[in-house]
C-alpha cells in the first residue's frame, strides 16, 4: 500500500500517469492515496474526495487514449512535416509558408485532442488557428482562389507595396485572364495581411 501511495503521489504531482503498468494498478493506487490526499484527509469531505478521484481518473484515461492517438496519428504528421522541411528548397519563401501550415495542422490536431477541447474537437483559439491554416492553403497555392473570390473581392482596404499597379489593371482590364491575374495577386496580399494580423493578435489564444 505504501508503494502504491508513493507511486500515486509522484504520478499525480507531475501528471505522469504512464508510470502505472495497468489500469488495475492505477485504480488501486487511486484508492490508496485519495483518502490521504496531501495530508488533508481531515479537512476533506467525501464529495471532495470523490471529485479528486474523478479528476485524476479522467486525466489518466484521457492521457492513455492520447498516447495511442499520438503514436497512430500525430507522430506520422510530425514526421511528414520534418521530411518536408528537409526536402524543400531553401530559396523559396512559399515553402516556408508551407512549413508553417504543416506545423499549424499538427498544432490543431494536438489541441483538438487535448483536455481543453470539447466533444467536437473545438478548443480556445481554434477559430483563429484554423483560419490561419485555411489562409496558408491559399498562400501556398494561389490557384485555390476561385474566380468569383477574385472578381467580387472588396478592394477598398488593399494596402501593400505595388498595389496601385495591380489595382489599376484590375479596375480597367477588359481581358478576363489579365484581370484575374492582377486580382489574384491583390487577393493573395490581402490574405497574407490577414494571416500576419491574426498571428500578431491571436497567437496566444491557441494555448491559453
Amino acid at each position: 500500500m505504501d508503494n502504491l501511495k508513493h507511486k500515486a503521489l509522484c504520478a499525480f504531482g507531475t501528471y505522469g500517469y504512464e508510470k502505472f503498468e495497468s489500469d488495475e494498478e492505477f485504480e488501486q493506487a487511486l484508492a490508496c492515496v485519495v483518502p490521504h490526499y496531501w495530508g488533508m484527509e481531515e479537512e476533506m469531505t467525501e464529495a471532495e474526495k470523490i471529485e479528486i478521484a474523478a479528476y485524476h481518473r479522467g486525466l489518466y484515461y484521457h492521457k492513455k487514449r492520447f498516447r495511442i492517438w499520438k503514436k497512430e496519428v500525430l507522430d506520422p504528421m510530425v514526421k511528414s512535416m520534418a521530411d518536408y522541411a528537409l526536402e524543400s528548397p531553401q530559396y523559396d519563401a512559399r515553402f516556408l509558408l508551407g512549413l508553417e501550415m504543416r506545423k499549424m495542422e499538427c498544432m490543431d490536431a494536438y489541441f483538438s485532442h487535448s483536455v481543453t477541447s470539447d466533444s467536437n474537437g473545438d478548443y480556445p483559439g481554434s477559430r483563429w488557428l484554423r483560419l490561419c491554416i485555411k489562409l496558408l492553403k491559399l498562400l501556398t497555392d494561389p490557384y485555390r482562389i476561385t474566380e468569383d473570390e477574385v472578381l467580387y473581392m472588396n478592394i477598398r482596404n488593399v494596402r501593400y507595396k505595388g498595389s496601385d499597379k495591380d489595382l489599376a489593371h484590375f479596375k480597367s482590364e477588359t481581358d478576363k485572364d489579365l484581370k484575374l491575374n492582377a486580382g489574384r495577386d491583390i487577393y493573395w496580399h490581402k490574405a497574407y495581411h490577414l494571416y500576419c494580423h491574426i498571428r500578431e493578435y491571436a497567437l496566444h489564444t491557441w494555448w491559453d
Side-chain angles (χ1 to χ4, degrees), residues 19-39:
K19 298 178 185 295
F20 298 106
E21 297 178 7
S22 66
D23 296 348
E24 182 180 6
E25 184 184 40
F26 166 76
E27 293 292 350
Q28 290 174 347
L30 188 65
C32 290
V33 79
V34 167
H36 312 286
Y37 196 73
W38 304 118

Side-chain angles (χ1 to χ4, degrees), residues 138-151:
L138 299 180
L139 295 173
T140 54
D141 182 8
Y143 286 94
R144 287 177 178 265
I145 305 170
T146 67
E147 290 187 7
D148 285 346
E149 286 174 328
V150 172
L151 295 175

Side-chain angles (χ1 to χ4, degrees), residues 89-101:
Q90 309 303 315
Y91 52 78
D92 192 329
R94 189 168 295 174
F95 286 98
L96 177 60
L97 294 175
L99 183 60
E100 290 186 16
M101 181 179 72

Side-chain angles (χ1 to χ4, degrees), residues 33-70:
V33 79
V34 167
H36 312 286
Y37 196 73
W38 304 118
M40 299 186 299
E41 58 270 19
E42 295 181 1
E43 303 171 19
M44 292 168 56
T45 65
E46 285 301 312
E48 288 173 330
K49 292 177 182 179
I50 291 172
E51 184 178 352
I52 290 170
Y55 172 78
H56 287 290
R57 183 177 289 112
L59 275 181
Y60 169 80
Y61 287 105
H62 166 77
K63 284 182 171 287
K64 181 181 178 180
R65 292 190 299 270
F66 184 87
R67 286 195 297 272
I68 296 171
W69 171 83
K70 179 178 179 293

